[in-house]
């Protein structure tokens, strides 16, 4: 059995990644925090080849309990692919950004990266194979007004990716980011698509399956010499 964990795997980009990894032969652990129905739909899409793993990625105790429990139930096996995808937005101009809006985004989008990655890293190093793929954002590269919290979290993820990649490369563990632009999911609900498309050279929003295809490649043996990189997938909007 080959195992992969996708945080925030119940919907949107996370769901598409779960389906892609299933197609590549992985048993997929679908992490989610509250939407049981959506998580079950994703499990159905991967034909039951995996399991649901409900925990809040921003809660270090919950992360450790869930992962330790899985490891205890699967002696001798390990999760060789980790996709840190879970995220939230709490957009506001900084002058009006409340402390709770800052903390929620940093905890869910950045601190979770530390909690989950650290919990899974040692087995990858011992087995001398692992793939850690982090879903960052255009916002973490370019910065977007109204998203100082989100930009800070995703920019921090990108910097952490570069550092960790250098720590683990000798053990054949790779650490990379994908940085989507505007992808057609519920994360872009409320945005003016018609206006935004005018600034995108491809003249459209991306699809979750396009991001999943890139993640699938980075998870494959063919990507073994790609490490510490952040690959944009934004229709040419920003390079």
């Amino acid at each position: 059995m080959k195992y992969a964990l996708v945080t925030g795997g119940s919907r949107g980009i996370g769901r598409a990644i779960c389906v892609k990894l299933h197609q590549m032969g992985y048993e997929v652990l679908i992490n989610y925090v509250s939407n049981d129905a959506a998580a079950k739909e994703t499990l159905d899409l991967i034909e039951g080849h995996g399991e649901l793993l409900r925990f809040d990625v921003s809660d270090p105790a919950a992360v450790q309990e869930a992962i330790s429990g899985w490891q205890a139930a699967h002696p001798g096996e390990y999760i060789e692919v980790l996709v840190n995808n879970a995220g939230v937005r709490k957009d506001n101009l900084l002058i009006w950004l409340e402390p709770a809006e800052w903390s929620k985004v940093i905890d869910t989008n950045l601190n979770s990266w530390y909690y989950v990655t650290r919990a899974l890293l040692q087995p990858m190093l011992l087995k001398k194979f692992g793939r850690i793929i982090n879903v960052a954002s255009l916002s973490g590269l370019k910065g977007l007004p109204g998203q100082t919290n989100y930009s800070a979290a995703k920019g921090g993820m990108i910097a952490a990716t570069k550092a960790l990649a250098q720590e683990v490369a000798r053990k054949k563990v790779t650490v990379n980011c994908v940085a989507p632009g505007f992808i057609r999911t519920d994360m872009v609900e409320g945005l003016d698509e018609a206006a935004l498309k005018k600034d995108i050279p491809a003249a459209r929003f991306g699809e979750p399956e396009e991001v999943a295809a890139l993640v699938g490649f980075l998870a494959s043996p063919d990507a073994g010499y790609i490490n510490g990189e952040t690959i944009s997938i934004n229709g040419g909007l920003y390079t």
Side-chain angles (χ1 to χ4, degrees), residues 15-16 19 22 39-48:
R15 172 178 284 181
V19 171
H22 159 61
K40 180 61 167 58
E41 288 175 8
T42 304
L43 187 61
D44 290 342
L45 285 172
I46 65 171
E47 301 170 331

Side-chain angles (χ1 to χ4, degrees), residues 20-35:
K20 179 63 179 178
L21 292 174
H22 159 61
Q23 293 169 348
M24 294 171 62
Y26 283 94
E27 295 286 309
V28 184
L29 311 182
I30 304 162
N31 161 257
Y32 71 107
V33 68
S34 61
N35 194 331

Side-chain angles (χ1 to χ4, degrees), residues 2-3 43 48 68 88 113 122 133 138 144 152 165 174 182 223 230:
K2 299 190 304 178
Y3 293 94
L43 187 61
S68 294
V88 295
W113 178 90
Q122 187 178 37
I133 302 155
L138 168 70
L144 292 175
T174 65
F182 295 106
T230 298

Side-chain angles (χ1 to χ4, degrees), residues 13-229:
I13 290 174
R15 172 178 284 181
I17 292 170
C18 289
V19 171
K20 179 63 179 178
L21 292 174
H22 159 61
Q23 293 169 348
M24 294 171 62
Y26 283 94
E27 295 286 309
V28 184
L29 311 182
I30 304 162
N31 161 257
Y32 71 107
V33 68
S34 61
N35 194 331
D36 293 307
K40 180 61 167 58
E41 288 175 8
T42 304
L43 187 61
D44 290 342
L45 285 172
I46 65 171
E47 301 170 331
H49 286 275
E51 59 188 280
L52 303 180
L53 213 56
R54 180 175 179 170
F55 62 88
D56 182 352
V57 295
S58 69
D59 181 341
V63 171
Q64 191 58 55
E65 181 181 358
I67 291 176
S68 294
W70 185 90
Q71 291 170 334
H74 298 80
E77 298 177 312
Y78 82 112
I79 297 166
E80 68 177 54
V81 173
L82 167 62
V83 182
N84 287 299
N85 168 74
V88 295
R89 282 175 41 213
K90 298 286 183 182
D91 295 353
N92 214 336
L93 297 177
L94 183 64
I95 194 170
W96 294 311
L97 190 70
E98 295 295 331
E101 294 173 318
W102 175 269
S103 296
K104 177 66 173 177
V105 169
I106 297 297
D107 286 344
T108 306
N109 295 278
L110 181 58
N111 290 343
S112 67
W113 178 90
Y114 165 73
Y115 302 145
V116 180
T117 303
R118 187 172 183 269
L120 296 182
L121 186 58
Q122 187 178 37
M124 293 183 184
L125 299 176
L126 290 173
K127 299 287 187 178
K128 295 186 178 178
F129 182 84
R131 296 285 187 263
I132 300 169
I133 302 155
N134 306 309
V135 181
S137 170
L138 168 70
S139 187
L141 292 169
K142 179 180 183 291
L144 292 175
Q147 289 193 338
T148 52
N149 50 1
Y150 193 71
S151 295
K154 294 302 188 179
M157 174 185 278
I158 290 168
T161 293
K162 293 178 180 180
L164 181 59
Q166 296 174 66
E167 293 180 8
V168 300
R170 289 181 181 270
K171 297 294 187 178
K172 298 182 181 179
V173 176
T174 65
V175 192
N176 292 291
C177 278
V178 299
F182 295 106
I183 307 298
R184 198 181 307 280
T185 70
D186 55 9
M187 283 286 279
V188 299
E189 284 181 3
L191 300 182
D192 188 340
E193 182 175 349
L196 289 168
K197 285 195 300 187
K198 294 177 182 177
D199 295 324
I200 302 172
R204 66 176 179 88
F205 279 12
E207 300 296 336
E209 291 75 17
E210 293 175 301
V211 180
L214 175 56
V215 171
F217 173 69
L218 290 174
S220 74
D222 292 335
Y225 204 55
I226 301 173
N227 209 2
E229 292 299 317

